[in-house]
Amino acid sequence: MVTVAGNGYRENEIIRVEFGSNTNRAITPMLTIVTSDGSWTTTWTVDTQPFGTTTITATDELASVSKLYTILPEIILVTPGNGTVGSMVTVAGNGYGTGKQIRLEFGSV
């Protein structure tokens, strides 16, 4: 989960929050409304996309502010959880670069 918050905005202003570039859009842009104290907050789950740095941008009628966010690779599945010598093991992950070679190490090295 990613939570982004801002303050110093005008009450009831609509803030458009975008994650990633046009070619690597993780989610549809979200809209959130500024509260009476000038702040806003929005939360979402990062979907599957390649490892690396991307941008979170918050935009209102007057300005746009961006911050960097790093996507980390992750192993999401190892199955079966145990087995005997010769057992077939499946490993799955996400967040790795497209077309990149992945090196898996199994056991002690």
Side-chain angles (χ1 to χ4, degrees):
M1 298 288 283
V2 175
T3 299
V4 178
N7 58 41
Y9 293 81
R10 296 180 307 201
E11 181 178 4
N12 294 322
E13 186 77 26
I14 296 173
I15 306 297
R16 177 184 172 105
V17 179
E18 296 181 65
F19 182 67
S21 67
N22 289 334
T23 59
N24 187 26
R25 178 80 58 215
I27 52 175
T28 305
M30 298 156 292
L31 300 178
T32 187
I33 306 283
V34 177
T35 62
S36 62
D37 67 357
S39 66
W40 58 268
T41 302
T42 190
T43 302
W44 71 90
T45 300
V46 177
D47 74 345
T48 301
Q49 55 182 299
F51 164 82
T53 302
T54 192
T55 305
I56 298 171
T57 303
T59 305
D60 68 3
E61 289 180 1
L62 302 174
S64 184
V65 178
S66 295
K67 295 287 183 178
L68 296 179
Y69 183 85
T70 302
I71 307 288
L72 299 174
E74 175 183 30
I75 292 175
I76 59 171
L77 172 74
V78 176
T79 188
N82 56 53
T84 60
V85 172
S87 295
M88 178 70 75
V89 177
T90 300
V91 178
N94 62 35
Y96 296 87
T98 302
K100 299 293 182 182
Q101 185 175 22
I102 306 297
R103 177 180 162 176
L104 294 173
E105 294 183 10
F106 189 74
S108 345
V109 247

